Amino acid sequence: MEGKKVLIIGAGIDSVQSALDQAAAGNKVYFLERPPGLGSLAADDASFSSKWEEARSNKNIHIITNGVLNKVRRENGGFQLEIKKTAPRVIEEKCNDCKECIKVCPISLWPF
């Protein structure tokens, strides 16, 4: 039997650990976060950073940044989700969440 599909909304050490636990149980995990990266949430926390790197490299965890849950519908005994994703201004696969792009970006997203 194929594992479940799990959506985890929001980042934090507990949500990253939940994603890792669900992936280890054979479930496909979708991790949804509104900001373009997660490192700013716990940049000085080594345990978060190591868990985050573990999640990023896990083949059962798919990370969706720049996104929000727009709509949820019940369908065929499950749920159909609509996620609205804003266009990234960086190449997501190459992003290591160093925040250098924010320092030079002409578009102000957050008060840093």
Side-chain angles (χ1 to χ4, degrees):
M1 179 178 191
E2 185 177 314
K4 298 182 284 185
K5 293 179 182 175
V6 177
L7 175 66
I8 296 177
I9 302 173
I13 189 73
D14 293 335
S15 5
V16 173
Q17 185 60 57
S18 292
L20 291 167
D21 293 344
Q22 289 292 326
N27 297 320
K28 184 172 276 198
V29 179
Y30 296 89
F31 203 109
L32 178 63
E33 181 63 21
R34 182 183 293 253
L38 301 178
S40 62
L41 299 171
D44 298 327
D45 187 339
S47 63
F48 179 87
S49 296
S50 66
K51 292 289 184 187
W52 172 232
E53 285 306 316
E54 187 180 343
R56 282 177 56 152
S57 64
N58 190 306
K59 64 179 176 61
N60 286 332
I61 298 176
H62 303 280
I63 299 167
I64 304 167
T65 55
N66 288 328
V68 293
L69 185 59
N70 205 28
K71 191 183 296 183
V72 178
R73 290 189 309 274
R74 276 194 161 264
E75 190 173 288
N76 299 328
F79 295 95
Q80 183 73 29
L81 307 175
E82 180 181 297
I83 295 173
K84 183 177 180 183
K85 187 166 166 50
T86 58
R89 291 178 169 75
V90 298
I91 301 169
E92 292 185 23
E93 294 80 28
K94 294 183 177 183
C95 178
N96 65 2
D97 213 23
C98 69
K99 304 289 183 271
E100 289 300 314
C101 58
I102 292 172
K103 294 177 186 175
V104 297
C105 184
I107 299 169
S108 177
L109 298 176
W110 302 286
F112 282 102

